[in-house]
Amino acid sequence: MLQQLYGTIIVPPAVPQELEVGKLQGVDVPEINSIEWIQIRPVASATLIPAVIDLGQGEAEVLALG
């Protein structure tokens, strides 16, 4: 559905890293590195990452990209 709505989506590197942790724990997660319409792009500056303690790194970096 995301591809149909947006064409391309951008995620920070922390998202595939968190998915890999889940995969190692036996969770069935997508291999987003092989999905053409998902781009992995780092946050321009670490100072943009919100200091919110109840979010994971992936969620915090997604907010910084936004």
Side-chain angles (χ1 to χ4, degrees):
M1 184 181 338
L2 289 173
Q3 182 185 24
Q4 292 172 344
L5 289 171
Y6 302 108
T8 300
I9 64 166
I10 300 168
V11 299
V15 171
Q17 291 169 357
E18 288 181 359
L19 290 173
E20 185 61 29
V21 170
K23 184 177 182 179
L24 293 173
Q25 295 174 349
V27 179
D28 184 23
V29 296
E31 180 63 51
I32 65 171
N33 293 322
S34 64
I35 301 174
E36 294 177 7
W37 52 272
I38 298 177
Q39 294 179 7
I40 300 169
R41 193 174 300 165
V43 176
S45 171
T47 60
L48 296 173
I49 299 172
V52 182
I53 59 172
D54 60 342
L55 293 179
Q57 189 66 27
E59 290 87 353
E61 288 187 14
V62 165
L63 291 174
L65 279 177

